[in-house]
Amino acid sequence: MSDTAPVHVRHGSSIGQSLTRAEGMLKVTGRARYAADHHPADMLYAVIATSTIARGRVVALDLAAAKAHPGVIDVMTPANAPTLAQDPDLKGTPFTFRMELLQNDQVRYANQSIAVVVATSLEAATEGAALLHPTYDVETARVDFDDAPRFVPDSVGVGSPSKDTHGDVEAGLASADRRIEATYDTPAQYHNAMEPHAIVAAWDGDHLTIDTPSQGMAMAQARIAGLFGIDATDIFIRSPFLGGGFGSKGLISGPQILGIMAAKLVGKPVKLVLRRDQMYGPVGHRSPTRQTLKIGAMADGSLTAIDHHTVAASSSFDDFFEPAGGVTHTLYATPALSTTYEAVRLDTGTPLFMRAPGEASGSVALEGAIDEMAFACGMDPLEFRLKNYAETEPLSGKPFSSKALRECYEQGAKRFGWAGRPLGSRQMRDEAGLLVGWGVGTATFPALMFQAEARAELRADGTGTVDIGAQDMGQGAWTALAQIAADGVGLPLEKLTFNMGTSDLPNAGIAGGSAHTATAGTAIHNAGGAVIAALAELATNDDRSPLYGAGNTGVVARDGRLFRRDDESRSESYETILTRAGQASVQGKGQAAADPATQKDYAMHAHGAVFAEVKVDPDLGQVRVSRLVGAFAAGRVINPRMVRSQYFGGMIWGISFALQERAAMDRRTGRIVNANLAEYHVPVNADVPSLEAILIEEHDSHVNALGIKGVGEIGVTGTAGAIGNAVWHATGIRARETPIRLEKLL
């Protein structure tokens, strides 16, 4: 089976069943072809040369040495780079960010692309890039978060206000019996998906064919079309499989565009793949934050006010500020709250969307501060959270479209054994003498919807096809979306051909914001409804059919047949209906989009609770997570196996966030010194403890027609905070900086 061939799923139709991955066999046998696996005829190899300084300009490159190297075809620099139709620094939509595309000699951060070497082999291109030996006019890099001037940004995230208030925070704090003020620091983090950013680009006149990992092919088409002055329909993208993305592949990046430019320069197909160290800079990251929370509560534990102030960093040349205060808008009932922001500019690449942008870093600070206030009130942390349970969204006052967080707390606590937790710290040890601590964190993520389209076809041979330009970056879209498709057209999965992964299919929107299944799934569901309606019209208007006179609303589609809703003994197969009508097939189209009226009336979120157990060596300060139990409510579950996999992934990322993950910056040069997977620590198998994810039943008729909320990002929110709280419970030391380092615990 080729990488773009349809995936034929061999199981029965089954929304809600734990089917195995439709593409699993392709992946484990190596037949799933990722972008860098493509080798068109006459293909050349491109390697980026990156800056070793963080600020200044390139004075000279040894082009003669590089071009003299055997196998080197050309070196692309600002002097000979193909002319672009659009300035890459031009800001368009809120999802347009500036790129470094060899338009000048300026260096804006370390690891910026400064040249591209094209050669007949990867080795020759790599050696040619090393021979360039750039010289620089160096300026002092501005990389110190603490020393950078602060300012108030116009907005944070994608257009969110930099100040939100509800009630009188100052009065709420003044009237409180208990007050805390705590500052939490989170570091810069980098996506580090297994598959690096890569592109294979081939021009045929103005027609461009590319293989590249993309979380949003239509957005990539539009950006490429603008930069090269061609029609988006002349760009064909293949992206059936992604080796992880976590947001970094949501937007086309500068290195990918450079691969396209290099192909245009040399007139042949070109492959460009980033090395691991080159991933630190041009393709986004999570910015560092400093968050200060002031919280007031009465003696009985009732909150009186929350003030959440965030300082976030962006690059010197573009704007993306981590919206860390957003979690405070929705989690805890308080008569007064405020979220405010300041920002700094650093000589780094622009931070962008990274799994749970805002919520991940914000929940670390909020959940830690909530625990601190619970202790100040002499209350169990879970009891304190239930005391301040929000029945309506605190900032907006809107009712929740659904909220089963109480059930998450209850079932998670029961499974974990929370009832036996001592209130004070340093009260538990295991048989080896290690300090044991238990912590809890609340998880939340908005239930988002984007725009998408799909099409469906039913054929006279009893088979069907559903097409949508969706992506699978490991979350199980090939499987879950096919389940929705089969259900929508009323066919067993083995009779359905499900196509996705190429840009010539209907636009599925972006696989991000934990919204892909909801968005693409709704479009698929609606396309199924449209094709069934067309088929039903043929049958119910034909007096030879047992369904004659039933009307569209009077039939049900199931197992390749239409049944009268009022008398299921009267039915007819799709084959019979189409054959009698003399039609080879019938088609239908469907769309998906958020409903503005529903968004105006309801607050829509997924919720969860994570319980963590840690063990800490009292002499060495070494921390190990020994147990994690998460309970999550995210609307309708299409495939429990895939959902649990996503929850596990998020919880593992929470371990990484709490204990391991941090980009270390050399403040003298502005370079990241651990730009590799040996020193940029993320969890390996030995770091991952017993994991359990409980799926809480929840029905939501408002979020979308299928009742689906997202699960991809919620697992990381709550988990890191729960681990930090467990470390305090074990040691009595409140670590307010992540990752929690052993020297802080000694």
Side-chain angles (χ1 to χ4, degrees):
M1 183 179 291
S2 72
D3 59 311
T4 56
V7 173
H8 299 269
V9 189
R10 298 185 179 182
H11 306 275
S13 181
S14 53
I15 281 186
Q17 290 189 21
S18 292
L19 304 187
T20 56
R21 292 179 183 270
E23 82 290 5
M25 191 61 69
L26 295 178
K27 289 180 174 177
V28 299
T29 58
R31 290 181 293 148
R33 298 179 70 195
Y34 293 81
D37 294 328
H38 291 268
H39 300 83
D42 298 323
M43 187 191 79
L44 300 174
Y45 294 81
V47 167
I48 291 176
T50 57
S51 65
T52 56
I53 67 168
R55 186 182 180 202
R57 66 185 188 88
V58 179
V59 174
L61 295 166
D62 193 343
L63 297 176
K67 290 181 177 181
H69 187 77
V72 170
I73 302 299
D74 208 344
V75 180
M76 187 168 69
T77 71
N80 67 339
T83 302
L84 297 174
Q86 189 179 78
D87 183 351
D89 274 355
L90 181 67
K91 298 286 283 186
T93 72
F95 291 95
T96 301
F97 293 91
R98 297 184 170 109
M99 299 178 177
E100 302 73 43
L101 299 181
L102 302 180
Q103 301 303 291
N104 53 53
D105 61 9
Q106 183 182 5
V107 175
R108 304 196 279 204
Y109 57 90
N111 248 0
Q112 177 186 314
S113 304
I114 58 173
V116 178
V117 177
V118 183
T120 55
S121 70
L122 176 62
E123 293 79 7
T126 301
E127 291 160 5
L131 290 170
L132 286 171
H133 294 298
T135 56
Y136 302 98
D137 180 1
V138 183
E139 299 179 51
T140 302
R142 300 162 295 187
V143 294
D144 196 316
F145 187 90
D146 295 314
D147 292 342
R150 296 185 181 184
F151 64 96
V152 177
D154 293 333
S155 63
V156 298
V158 182
S160 296
S162 58
K163 182 176 182 179
D164 276 303
T165 60
H166 170 72
D168 190 332
V169 171
E170 291 301 321
L173 293 172
S175 66
D177 295 324
R178 307 281 189 272
R179 286 180 291 276
I180 66 130
E181 180 175 342
T183 297
Y184 284 76
D185 285 2
T186 64
Q189 298 176 343
Y190 285 78
H191 299 80
N192 275 308
M194 284 190 292
E195 178 198 27
H197 289 63
I199 191 164
V200 178
W203 288 92
D204 182 6
D206 282 341
H207 183 79
L208 174 64
T209 298
I210 59 177
D211 294 280
T212 195
S214 172
Q215 292 176 233
M217 288 182 285
M219 292 178 67
Q221 277 181 307
R223 185 69 162 125
I224 296 167
L227 287 168
F228 290 94
I230 59 178
D231 196 295
T233 57
D234 284 327
I235 302 167
F236 177 63
I237 302 175
R238 280 187 294 251
S239 187
F241 306 110
L242 283 72
F246 312 124
S248 73
K249 295 168 184 170
L251 306 174
I252 198 82
S253 70
Q256 289 161 298
I257 299 296
L258 288 173
I260 300 171
M261 293 170 64
K264 181 173 272 292
L265 177 69
V266 299
K268 289 186 176 182
V270 164
K271 177 194 290 190
L272 188 155
V273 182
L274 291 186
R275 296 193 310 265
R276 178 62 53 183
D277 62 294
Q278 293 176 334
M279 299 278 287
Y280 292 75
V283 294
H285 64 282
R286 195 193 307 279
S287 88
T289 71
R290 174 160 297 152
Q291 301 172 60
T292 300
L293 284 107
K294 301 175 184 177
I295 303 180
M298 303 306 293
D300 67 353
S302 301
L303 289 170
T304 61
I306 302 177
D307 181 271
H308 190 163
H309 180 70
T310 300
V311 183
S314 190
S315 67
S316 64
F317 57 93
D318 213 340
D319 297 331
F320 183 85
F321 304 103
E322 188 82 358
V327 289
T328 298
H329 296 167
T330 186
L331 271 185
Y332 299 110
T334 176
L337 68 84
S338 172
T339 59
T340 55
Y341 293 86
E342 288 180 290
V344 300
R345 294 198 180 280
L346 305 176
D347 292 318
T348 66
T350 303
L352 286 172
F353 311 98
M354 187 167 178
R355 198 173 195 178
E359 286 82 6
S361 51
S363 63
V364 170
L366 178 63
E367 290 305 293
I370 286 291
D371 250 49
E372 293 194 49
M373 179 52 81
F375 181 73
C377 293
M379 295 178 66
D380 174 84
L382 181 55
E383 178 190 1
F384 184 81
R385 285 167 170 80
L386 288 167
K387 175 74 174 180
N388 294 285
Y389 189 89
E391 300 292 353
T392 58
E393 188 176 53
L395 179 67
S396 67
K398 296 177 185 178
F400 291 100
S401 58
S402 62
K403 186 179 182 182
L405 179 56
R406 286 189 189 277
E407 292 80 358
C408 295
Y409 285 139
E410 179 183 359
Q411 293 192 36
K414 182 178 180 181
R415 191 73 58 90
F416 186 82
W418 183 265
R421 179 189 185 274
L423 190 61
S425 63
R426 298 183 72 94
Q427 301 296 304
M428 298 192 297
R429 290 180 184 257
D430 70 359
E431 62 279 359
L434 299 178
L435 296 168
V436 178
W438 291 356
V440 62
T442 307
T444 186
F445 198 80
L448 302 176
M449 277 279 291
F450 302 129
Q451 293 184 344
E453 301 171 343
R455 62 175 176 250
E457 181 180 34
L458 294 172
R459 292 184 287 273
D461 63 359
T463 63
T465 300
V466 173
D467 299 326
I468 188 166
Q471 301 87 10
D472 193 315
M473 54 182 169
Q475 79 275 39
W478 273 114
T479 311
L481 294 181
Q483 288 176 263
I484 295 171
D487 182 78
V489 299
L491 282 175
L493 273 167
E494 63 268 17
K495 290 191 174 183
L496 174 73
T497 299
F498 179 64
N499 297 309
M500 70 177 210
T502 57
S503 62
D504 57 341
L505 300 174
N507 177 13
I510 188 169
S514 295
H516 194 44
T517 305
T519 303
T522 298
I524 290 167
H525 172 79
N526 290 340
V531 76
I532 292 298
L535 187 68
E537 185 175 2
L538 291 177
T540 58
N541 290 325
D542 188 336
D543 59 10
R544 296 168 292 174
S545 170
L547 303 175
Y548 178 65
N552 181 36
T553 59
V555 299
V556 176
R558 184 173 67 247
D559 294 326
R561 301 182 70 86
L562 293 185
F563 298 82
R564 285 188 67 116
R565 198 180 292 271
D566 57 353
D567 181 6
E568 291 207 359
S569 66
R570 300 173 67 182
S571 69
E572 196 167 28
S573 70
Y574 298 174
E575 299 101 303
T576 301
I577 296 169
L578 288 168
T579 300
R580 188 177 55 240
Q583 293 189 201
S585 67
V586 64
Q587 295 84 32
K589 295 181 179 180
Q591 296 182 327
D595 180 2
T598 305
Q599 289 185 317
K600 180 180 178 181
D601 293 340
Y602 293 97
M604 294 178 282
H605 301 268
H607 295 93
V610 180
F611 297 82
E613 177 184 84
V614 302
K615 295 185 177 182
V616 184
D617 188 308
D619 300 316
L620 302 178
Q622 189 176 51
V623 181
R624 295 295 299 269
V625 179
S626 49
R627 276 196 302 147
L628 283 176
V629 174
F632 303 95
R636 189 181 190 187
V637 172
I638 301 301
N639 185 314
R641 183 191 297 264
M642 302 295 112
V643 166
R644 282 195 175 88
S645 174
Q646 288 294 287
Y647 288 150
F648 287 162
M651 293 162 72
I652 292 168
W653 196 314
I655 297 172
S656 185
F657 203 126
L659 301 179
Q660 296 179 308
E661 194 169 351
R662 170 179 172 265
M665 179 77 73
D666 183 339
R667 295 186 179 184
R668 299 165 301 172
T669 64
R671 297 173 66 182
I672 295 170
V673 297
N674 60 337
N676 55 72
L677 288 183
E679 297 167 295
Y680 184 94
H681 293 161
V682 295
V684 296
N685 285 348
D687 299 309
V688 178
S690 166
L691 291 177
E692 188 168 1
I694 303 167
L695 278 55
I696 303 299
E697 186 174 356
E698 182 179 63
H699 302 280
D700 195 318
S701 61
H702 303 291
V703 285
N704 49 65
L706 292 168
I708 297 170
K709 299 179 181 180
V711 299
E713 294 165 278
I714 190 173
V716 68
T717 74
T719 300
I723 293 169
N725 293 335
V727 169
W728 172 85
H729 190 235
T731 66
I733 298 170
R734 178 62 66 179
R736 298 192 184 96
E737 181 180 353
T738 57
I740 299 170
R741 301 164 68 89
L742 58 85
E743 63 265 26
K744 300 288 186 180
L745 305 178
L746 294 176

